[in-house]
């Protein structure tokens, strides 16, 4: 009797597995439009949305020059603590901006938060340019932070939802290209206005330009198809899908709408009558969501705590400490390296894969930070970070070379890839999880920006850079065990990975299956063409 019961349960379980496999196969059959050639429209949307990254990049870079040229324009010369306040308050504002955007992204759509971010950034830039006190400068920096946080949270999410699966990594990477491009432009403007009296005011005012450009172009971009279907607008979603996949047939367009609609219906059924707190809680109580959150937010935290933003925020100050006479110009070399190697990542991320790039670059970041920490032994500084000797010589050049190599490996690896982690999250928690991803970025940013100079004073530059090297090294180990490869997979398929631990092996299996399926489809198409 007992054996019969066990056999009966096994039969039921087997039948359930067969049904689930059949459903998954049926869903995959509705997504064949992803295999067609995409048009230029999706690239246009991604490029326009990526301008939002320039808000983040420009502000990150320009504050480095502003700190050097502020002098006593705010009533007195700022000490180290006040410089840390002016720098870190923007990250604090971005933290709250990301939360607000995340809480409203599903209700009001993705574009609304981008509009709000642009308006806030313009207002904050005006307040900074007109500041004659530390208080007004701080308020302006905080408002800019609200705008930056809103845009930084929504832009990669928006691009991920409009991008074809095979180009998603590169299209999200455009946001990072815009960030690094903004940093490079800001350093160039900082160097150009260095000799202009009160030139820092023009530096911060120019930051409003990308926000104005984005405001002007955003009306030409549609809401994401997934959001349109979520708000019961399937016809509009079909029109957008048709423009993204111009070579798809009408049947494939309708199948794509149905494919997304099924996931959205499951999402609505799951969320019916549920509170915001309940939705947020699903990130932690559902194991697969929690694992995706740990992988994504963990990499983001490492990318911010591993020293890069210390270099961007305080590069002019740092290179002044090691003895360079024109630290802003030297900082431009770092920004240019960042921009060039972000482009390298953009070209490779969908070909080589996210995980492989991380494993090939993070160990080198740790290596060059450790070398810089050792070289700082030959650059003695006082507790206030002033040089003991007026001339430094070769150690300064070696530190610069170490920083160039560190930034090259960072930009070609973790700097871009950390933002791609928004693709890990299923649609029912995507807005909230991307909010947590962005909050991790800005929370870590606050820590770095508000402690770097103090850490340099109390632990010496060698101690500070050795600490960052350790974070990068242990982060490299964590990526090996916890960060799966998802290149070329649709957002709907990625959700399955984290149902199998951190999904390293399951991701390999799914990608092998997808490769085999594509090969069979190409063979079928070839056979049909021969018959014709």
């Amino acid at each position: 009797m007992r054996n019969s019961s066990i056999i009966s349960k096994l039969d039921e379980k087997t039948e359930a597995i067969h049904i689930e496999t059949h459903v998954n196969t049926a869903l995959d059959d509705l997504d064949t439009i992803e295999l067609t050639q995409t048009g230029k429209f999706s690239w246009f949307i991604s490029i326009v949305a990526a301008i939002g990254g320039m808000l983040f990049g420009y502000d990150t870079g320009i504050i480095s020059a502003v700190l050097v040229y502020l002098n006593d324009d705010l009533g007195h010369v700022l000490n180290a603590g006040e410089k840390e306040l002016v720098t870190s308050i923007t990250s604090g504002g971005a933290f709250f901006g990301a939360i607000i955007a995340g809480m409203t992204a599903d209700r009001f759509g993705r574009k609304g938060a981008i509009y709000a971010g642009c308006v806030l950034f313009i207002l904050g830039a005006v307040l900074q340019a007109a500041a004659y006190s530390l208080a007004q400068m701080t308020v302006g920096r905080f408002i800019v932070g609200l705008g930056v946080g809103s845009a930084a949270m929504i832009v990669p999410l928006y691009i991920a939802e409009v991008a074809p699966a095979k180009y998603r990594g590169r299209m999200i990477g455009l946001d990072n290209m815009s960030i690094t491009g903004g940093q490079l432009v800001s350093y160039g403007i900082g160097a150009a206005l260095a000799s202009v009296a009160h030139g820092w005011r023009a530096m911060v005012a120019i930051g409003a330009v990308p926000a104005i450009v984005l405001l002007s172009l955003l009306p030409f971009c549609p809401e994401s198809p997934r959001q349109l279907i979520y708000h019961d607008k399937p016809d509009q979603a079909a029109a957008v899908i048709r423009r993204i996949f111009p070579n798809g047939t009408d049947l494939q367009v309708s199948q794509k709408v149905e494919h997304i609609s099924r996931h959205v219906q499951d999402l609505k059924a799951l969320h019916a009558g549920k509170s915001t707190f309940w939705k947020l809680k699903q990130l932690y109580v559902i194991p697969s969501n929690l694992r995706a959150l740990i992988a994504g937010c963990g990499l983001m935290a490492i990318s911010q705590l591993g020293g890069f933003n210390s270099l961007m925020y305080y590069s002019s100050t740092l290179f002044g400490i090691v003895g360079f006479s024109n630290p802003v110009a030297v900082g431009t070399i770092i920004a240019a390296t960042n921009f060039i190697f972000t482009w390298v990542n953009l070209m490779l991320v969908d070909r080589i894969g996210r995980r492989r790039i991380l494993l090939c670059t993070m160990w080198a970041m740790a290596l060059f930070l450790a070398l810089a920490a050792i070289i700082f032994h030959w650059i003695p500084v006082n507790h206030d970070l002033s040089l003991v000797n007026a001339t430094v010589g070769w150690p300064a050049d070696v530190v610069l070379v170490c920083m160039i190599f560190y930034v090259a490996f960072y930009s070609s690896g973790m700097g871009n890839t950390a933002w791609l982690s928004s693709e890990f999250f299923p649609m029912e928690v995507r807005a909230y999880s991307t909010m947590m991803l962005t909050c991790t970025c800005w929370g870590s940013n606050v820590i770095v920006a508000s402690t770097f100079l103090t850490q340099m004073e109390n632990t010496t530059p060698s101690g500070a850079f050795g600490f960052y090297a350790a974070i990068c090294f242990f982060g490299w180990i964590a990526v090996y065990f916890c960060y799966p490869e998802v290149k070329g997979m649709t957002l709907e398929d990625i959700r399955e990975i984290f149902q199998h631990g951190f999904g390293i092996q399951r991701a390999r299996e799914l990608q092998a299956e997808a490769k085999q399926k594509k090969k069979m489809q190409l063979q079928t198409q070839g056979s049909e063409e021969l018959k014709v």
Side-chain angles (χ1 to χ4, degrees), residues 83-111:
K83 287 181 178 179
E84 289 175 337
L85 171 64
V86 168
T87 304
S88 63
I89 194 66
T90 299
S91 299
F95 180 87
F96 291 106
I99 292 176
I100 295 169
M103 292 294 186
T104 59
D106 285 335
R107 180 177 298 179
F108 301 110
R110 312 312 193 202
K111 288 176 63 178

Short mmCIF file of all heavy atoms in Angstrom, two decimals, residues 83-111:
data_model
loop_
_atom_site.label_atom_id
_atom_site.label_comp_id
_atom_site.label_asym_id
_atom_site.label_seq_id
_atom_site.Cartn_x
_atom_site.Cartn_y
_atom_site.Cartn_z
N LYS A 83 34.86 69.28 2.18
CA LYS A 83 35.00 68.75 0.81
C LYS A 83 34.30 67.40 0.68
O LYS A 83 33.65 67.12 -0.32
CB LYS A 83 36.48 68.62 0.44
CG LYS A 83 37.18 69.95 0.19
CD LYS A 83 38.64 69.73 -0.20
CE LYS A 83 39.33 71.05 -0.49
NZ LYS A 83 40.77 70.84 -0.85
N GLU A 84 34.46 66.57 1.71
CA GLU A 84 33.78 65.27 1.70
C GLU A 84 32.27 65.44 1.73
O GLU A 84 31.53 64.69 1.08
CB GLU A 84 34.24 64.42 2.88
CG GLU A 84 35.67 63.91 2.74
CD GLU A 84 36.18 63.17 3.96
OE1 GLU A 84 35.63 63.39 5.07
OE2 GLU A 84 37.13 62.37 3.83
N LEU A 85 31.78 66.46 2.46
CA LEU A 85 30.34 66.73 2.51
C LEU A 85 29.82 67.14 1.14
O LEU A 85 28.81 66.59 0.65
CB LEU A 85 30.05 67.83 3.53
CG LEU A 85 28.60 68.37 3.54
CD1 LEU A 85 27.63 67.27 3.94
CD2 LEU A 85 28.48 69.58 4.46
N VAL A 86 30.49 68.09 0.50
CA VAL A 86 30.06 68.58 -0.81
C VAL A 86 30.08 67.44 -1.84
O VAL A 86 29.20 67.37 -2.72
CB VAL A 86 30.97 69.74 -1.27
CG1 VAL A 86 30.73 70.07 -2.73
CG2 VAL A 86 30.72 70.97 -0.41
N THR A 87 31.04 66.56 -1.71
CA THR A 87 31.15 65.45 -2.66
C THR A 87 30.11 64.37 -2.39
O THR A 87 29.42 63.91 -3.30
CB THR A 87 32.56 64.83 -2.59
OG1 THR A 87 33.54 65.85 -2.83
CG2 THR A 87 32.71 63.72 -3.62
N SER A 88 29.98 63.96 -1.13
CA SER A 88 29.14 62.80 -0.80
C SER A 88 27.66 63.11 -0.76
O SER A 88 26.84 62.20 -0.90
CB SER A 88 29.59 62.21 0.54
OG SER A 88 29.38 63.15 1.59
N ILE A 89 27.27 64.38 -0.58
CA ILE A 89 25.84 64.70 -0.46
C ILE A 89 25.09 64.38 -1.75
O ILE A 89 23.90 64.03 -1.72
CB ILE A 89 25.65 66.20 -0.08
CG1 ILE A 89 24.22 66.46 0.39
CG2 ILE A 89 26.01 67.12 -1.24
CD1 ILE A 89 23.85 65.78 1.67
N THR A 90 25.78 64.47 -2.88
CA THR A 90 25.13 64.10 -4.15
C THR A 90 24.81 62.61 -4.16
O THR A 90 23.74 62.20 -4.62
CB THR A 90 26.04 64.45 -5.34
OG1 THR A 90 26.27 65.86 -5.33
CG2 THR A 90 25.39 64.06 -6.66
N SER A 91 25.72 61.80 -3.67
CA SER A 91 25.47 60.36 -3.60
C SER A 91 24.32 60.07 -2.64
O SER A 91 23.50 59.17 -2.90
CB SER A 91 26.73 59.62 -3.15
OG SER A 91 27.79 59.83 -4.07
N GLY A 92 24.23 60.84 -1.54
CA GLY A 92 23.11 60.68 -0.62
C GLY A 92 21.79 61.03 -1.29
O GLY A 92 20.79 60.32 -1.14
N GLY A 93 21.78 62.13 -2.06
CA GLY A 93 20.57 62.49 -2.80
C GLY A 93 20.21 61.44 -3.83
O GLY A 93 19.03 61.11 -4.03
N ALA A 94 21.23 60.88 -4.50
CA ALA A 94 20.99 59.84 -5.50
C ALA A 94 20.40 58.59 -4.86
O ALA A 94 19.57 57.91 -5.48
CB ALA A 94 22.30 59.50 -6.21
N PHE A 95 20.81 58.29 -3.65
CA PHE A 95 20.26 57.14 -2.93
C PHE A 95 18.75 57.28 -2.77
O PHE A 95 17.98 56.36 -3.08
CB PHE A 95 20.94 57.04 -1.56
CG PHE A 95 20.48 55.89 -0.71
CD1 PHE A 95 21.08 54.64 -0.84
CD2 PHE A 95 19.45 56.04 0.20
CE1 PHE A 95 20.65 53.58 -0.06
CE2 PHE A 95 19.02 54.98 0.97
CZ PHE A 95 19.63 53.73 0.85
N PHE A 96 18.30 58.45 -2.34
CA PHE A 96 16.86 58.68 -2.15
C PHE A 96 16.15 58.84 -3.49
O PHE A 96 15.00 58.41 -3.64
CB PHE A 96 16.64 59.90 -1.26
CG PHE A 96 17.06 59.70 0.16
CD1 PHE A 96 18.21 60.29 0.65
CD2 PHE A 96 16.33 58.90 1.02
CE1 PHE A 96 18.62 60.10 1.96
CE2 PHE A 96 16.72 58.68 2.33
CZ PHE A 96 17.88 59.29 2.80
N GLY A 97 16.83 59.43 -4.47
CA GLY A 97 16.24 59.55 -5.80
C GLY A 97 15.96 58.18 -6.40
O GLY A 97 14.93 57.96 -7.05
N ALA A 98 16.88 57.24 -6.19
CA ALA A 98 16.69 55.88 -6.70
C ALA A 98 15.51 55.20 -6.02
O ALA A 98 14.74 54.47 -6.67
CB ALA A 98 17.97 55.07 -6.48
N ILE A 99 15.35 55.42 -4.72
CA ILE A 99 14.22 54.83 -3.99
C ILE A 99 12.89 55.35 -4.53
O ILE A 99 11.96 54.59 -4.80
CB ILE A 99 14.34 55.11 -2.48
CG1 ILE A 99 15.53 54.35 -1.89
CG2 ILE A 99 13.05 54.73 -1.75
CD1 ILE A 99 15.79 54.65 -0.43
N ILE A 100 12.80 56.67 -4.70
CA ILE A 100 11.56 57.27 -5.20
C ILE A 100 11.24 56.76 -6.60
O ILE A 100 10.10 56.40 -6.91
CB ILE A 100 11.67 58.81 -5.19
CG1 ILE A 100 11.82 59.32 -3.76
CG2 ILE A 100 10.46 59.45 -5.86
CD1 ILE A 100 12.20 60.79 -3.66
N ALA A 101 12.25 56.70 -7.45
CA ALA A 101 12.05 56.22 -8.82
C ALA A 101 11.62 54.75 -8.82
O ALA A 101 10.73 54.35 -9.58
CB ALA A 101 13.32 56.40 -9.64
N GLY A 102 12.23 53.96 -7.96
CA GLY A 102 11.90 52.53 -7.89
C GLY A 102 10.48 52.29 -7.41
O GLY A 102 9.80 51.37 -7.89
N MET A 103 10.02 53.12 -6.48
CA MET A 103 8.67 52.96 -5.93
C MET A 103 7.59 53.37 -6.92
O MET A 103 6.44 52.94 -6.81
CB MET A 103 8.53 53.78 -4.64
CG MET A 103 9.37 53.27 -3.49
SD MET A 103 8.83 51.65 -2.90
CE MET A 103 9.88 51.44 -1.47
N THR A 104 7.94 54.20 -7.88
CA THR A 104 6.93 54.74 -8.80
C THR A 104 7.07 54.22 -10.23
O THR A 104 6.23 54.51 -11.08
CB THR A 104 7.00 56.28 -8.83
OG1 THR A 104 8.31 56.69 -9.24
CG2 THR A 104 6.70 56.86 -7.46
N ALA A 105 8.13 53.47 -10.51
CA ALA A 105 8.43 53.08 -11.89
C ALA A 105 7.34 52.21 -12.51
O ALA A 105 7.05 52.35 -13.71
CB ALA A 105 9.77 52.34 -11.94
N ASP A 106 6.74 51.30 -11.74
CA ASP A 106 5.69 50.44 -12.29
C ASP A 106 4.37 51.19 -12.45
O ASP A 106 3.62 50.94 -13.39
CB ASP A 106 5.49 49.22 -11.39
CG ASP A 106 6.61 48.20 -11.55
OD1 ASP A 106 7.25 48.18 -12.62
OD2 ASP A 106 6.85 47.43 -10.60
N ARG A 107 4.10 52.11 -11.55
CA ARG A 107 2.82 52.82 -11.61
C ARG A 107 2.79 53.86 -12.71
O ARG A 107 1.81 54.00 -13.43
CB ARG A 107 2.55 53.51 -10.26
CG ARG A 107 1.23 54.28 -10.23
CD ARG A 107 0.97 54.87 -8.85
NE ARG A 107 0.84 53.83 -7.84
CZ ARG A 107 0.62 54.07 -6.55
NH1 ARG A 107 0.53 55.32 -6.12
NH2 ARG A 107 0.51 53.09 -5.69
N PHE A 108 3.88 54.61 -12.88
CA PHE A 108 3.90 55.72 -13.84
C PHE A 108 4.75 55.44 -15.08
O PHE A 108 4.88 56.31 -15.93
CB PHE A 108 4.38 57.00 -13.15
CG PHE A 108 3.52 57.41 -11.99
CD1 PHE A 108 4.00 57.31 -10.69
CD2 PHE A 108 2.23 57.88 -12.18
CE1 PHE A 108 3.21 57.68 -9.61
CE2 PHE A 108 1.44 58.25 -11.12
CZ PHE A 108 1.92 58.15 -9.82
N GLY A 109 5.32 54.26 -15.17
CA GLY A 109 6.14 53.94 -16.33
C GLY A 109 7.59 54.37 -16.15
O GLY A 109 7.94 55.06 -15.19
N ARG A 110 8.42 53.95 -17.11
CA ARG A 110 9.86 54.21 -17.00
C ARG A 110 10.22 55.65 -17.38
O ARG A 110 11.12 56.25 -16.80
CB ARG A 110 10.64 53.25 -17.89
CG ARG A 110 10.26 51.77 -17.78
CD ARG A 110 10.15 51.23 -16.40
NE ARG A 110 10.09 49.78 -16.36
CZ ARG A 110 9.59 49.08 -15.36
NH1 ARG A 110 9.09 49.70 -14.30
NH2 ARG A 110 9.59 47.76 -15.37
N LYS A 111 9.53 56.20 -18.36
CA LYS A 111 9.92 57.51 -18.88
C LYS A 111 9.67 58.64 -17.87
O LYS A 111 10.40 59.63 -17.85
CB LYS A 111 9.18 57.81 -20.17
CG LYS A 111 9.65 56.99 -21.36
CD LYS A 111 8.81 57.25 -22.60
CE LYS A 111 8.92 58.69 -23.06
NZ LYS A 111 8.12 58.93 -24.29
#
